[in-house]
């Protein structure tokens, strides 16, 4: 049984079910994204190194790929959702990379969050083989991945982005063409740097209220209706017991890991260094997440667990 309740959108009119889509990377985000492509009427062959993730994708209607190469061979479109630039380059580039297995005219849509330089390298290498490619990192979190309401920030030439739109529309509600190759990645790290900053600020403000006797739900309602309202407060509240169906309601399990937020903040700081940009709050956010994630078990929790950095031990 597919665990992504409510994942399937209505099948779109005019979908070419003869098209073969390969989806590589079936984690918390990639799994429901692949399921939504199936729900939109596409034939999807999926692969992941995790047997459990692959079994779940098959339960959601994907065809099992025995390897990334077998899933992609002969595919019209390859979509990837991987954790790092090294993983993306390892998948696509080199003598045994997927670009060697794809036919000219194929389309690569990489939805991973990686450096702009890595994205440009992938897109340039694809172009040398007459393969279109776009960087299309996402925003919205796991709930939006399941609901098919993600936002995609695309980098690449206009023709390639237009070719990617039908597939992105099956997985998301907002598709932005940020600019040439790598621009989607720049937009994503700017967004995630801001996300980290307002998540930390939200957690800090909520804890200040609780430490002074306020109910965190009442305080959240007040701030949502006031000038302090923000996405972290309204859609992804970090304080346990305030909101259902967010990681804070489940011991901060699932969601967007602290380790991944640290990776994105590192990309933001590297990008800032390259452009001599001033990002003092971004640097502070990275330091605070580094402090919070000093233990491996914490790094696996959702990034909203930063709330625990401010909470007092029981009895204080």
């Amino acid at each position: 049984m597919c665990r992504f309740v409510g994942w399937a959108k209505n099948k779109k009119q005019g979908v070419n079910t003869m098209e073969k889509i390969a989806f590589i990377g079936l984690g918390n985000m990639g799994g429901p994204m692949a399921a939504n492509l199936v729900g939109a009427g596409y034939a999807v062959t999926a692969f992941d190194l995790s047997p459990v993730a692959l079994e779940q994708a098959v339960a959601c209607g994907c065809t099992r790929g025995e390897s990334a190469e077998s899933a992609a061979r002969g595919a019209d479109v390859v979509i990837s959702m991987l954790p790092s630039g090294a993983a993306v380059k390892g998948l696509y580039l080199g003598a045994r990379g997927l670009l060697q297995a794809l036919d000219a005219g194929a389309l690569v849509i990489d939805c991973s969050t990686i450096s702009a330089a890595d994205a440009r390298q992938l897109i340039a290498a694809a172009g040398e083989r007459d393969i279109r490619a776009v960087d299309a990192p996402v925003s919205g979190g796991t709930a939006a991945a399941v609901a098919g309401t993600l936002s995609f920030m695309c980098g690449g030439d206009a023709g390639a982005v237009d070719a990617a739109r039908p597939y992105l529309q099956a997985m998301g509600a907002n598709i932005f063409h940020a600019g040439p190759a790598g621009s989607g990645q720049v937009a994503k790290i700017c967004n995630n740097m801001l996300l980290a900053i307002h998540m930390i600020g939200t957690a800090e403000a909520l804890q200040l209220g609780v430490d002074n006797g306020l109910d965190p739900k009442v305080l959240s309602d007040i701030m949502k209706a006031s000038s302090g309202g923000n996405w972290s407060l309204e859609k992804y509240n970090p304080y346990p017991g305030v909101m259902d169906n967010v990681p804070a309601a489940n011991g901060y399990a699932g969601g967007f890991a602290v380790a991944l937020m640290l990776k994105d903040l590192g990309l933001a700081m590297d990008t800032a260094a390259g452009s001599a940009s001033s990002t003092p709050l971004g640097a502070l956010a990275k330091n605070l997440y580094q402090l919070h994630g000093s233990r491996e078990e914490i790094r696996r929790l959702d990034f909203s667990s930063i709330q625990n950095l401010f909470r007092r031990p029981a009895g204080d």
Side-chain angles (χ1 to χ4, degrees):
M1 180 177 178
C2 184
R3 68 183 176 90
F4 304 120
V5 178
W7 58 271
K9 289 184 171 183
N10 293 328
K11 291 189 177 183
K12 297 179 181 293
Q13 297 297 317
V15 165
N16 181 2
T17 56
M18 298 301 291
E19 289 178 310
K20 180 182 177 183
I21 299 178
F23 202 109
I24 313 299
L26 303 166
N28 290 338
M29 299 292 290
M33 290 165 67
N36 272 317
L37 285 164
V38 173
Y42 290 107
V44 179
T45 301
F47 178 74
D48 194 280
L49 292 173
S50 165
V52 174
L54 185 53
E55 286 294 336
Q56 185 59 58
V58 171
C60 291
C62 295
T63 300
R64 180 192 308 274
E66 298 304 323
S67 66
E69 182 179 357
S70 68
R73 191 166 295 281
D76 302 292
V77 183
V78 178
I79 302 172
S80 48
M81 187 62 160
L82 300 175
S84 69
V88 171
K89 291 192 290 185
L91 176 68
Y92 286 107
L93 304 181
R96 301 186 64 182
L98 289 193
L99 292 183
Q100 303 301 318
L102 295 175
D103 297 330
L107 173 65
V108 168
I109 305 171
D110 181 47
C111 297
S112 317
T113 299
I114 60 178
S115 72
D118 286 344
R120 293 183 191 112
Q121 183 180 356
L122 169 60
I123 291 172
E128 291 173 1
R129 293 187 52 80
D130 294 324
I131 294 168
R132 297 166 297 172
V134 298
D135 56 292
V138 306
S139 180
T142 52
V146 173
T149 56
L150 291 167
S151 293
F152 290 91
M153 309 163 209
C154 301
D157 68 58
V161 173
D162 285 344
R165 284 184 187 276
Y167 314 104
L168 300 179
Q169 286 170 345
M171 301 181 286
N174 301 292
I175 301 163
F176 301 98
H177 185 191
S183 297
Q185 300 298 342
V186 175
K188 175 61 186 291
I189 62 170
C190 291
N191 179 79
N192 275 25
M193 184 180 74
L194 179 58
L195 172 61
I197 292 167
H198 64 64
M199 178 58 78
I200 291 169
T202 296
E204 184 176 352
L206 286 170
Q207 196 61 49
L208 176 62
V210 169
D211 290 347
N212 284 276
L214 295 184
D215 182 318
K217 187 177 188 311
V218 172
L219 178 56
S220 293
D221 289 341
I222 291 169
M223 293 194 295
K224 284 191 295 185
S226 304
S227 56
N230 64 76
W231 187 89
S232 292
L233 182 71
E234 297 170 11
K235 305 291 186 182
Y236 213 82
N237 198 290
Y239 208 94
V242 172
M243 186 177 290
D244 295 330
N245 301 316
V246 294
N250 189 33
Y252 300 106
F256 185 62
V258 168
L260 293 177
M261 177 56 85
L262 272 169
K263 180 203 75 171
D264 289 1
L265 288 169
L267 289 172
M269 294 304 99
D270 290 345
T271 302
S275 57
S277 300
S278 297
T279 54
L281 291 181
L284 178 58
K286 182 176 183 293
N287 285 338
L288 288 170
Y289 270 103
Q290 194 73 56
L291 177 65
H292 173 54
S294 58
R295 301 197 313 274
E296 183 58 35
E297 63 269 25
I298 300 298
R299 292 168 69 90
R300 292 193 291 267
L301 296 178
D302 181 74
F303 80 107
S304 62
S305 63
I306 194 77
Q307 184 72 61
N308 290 336
L309 189 65
F310 302 102
R311 295 179 76 182
R312 294 176 176 172
D316 280 12

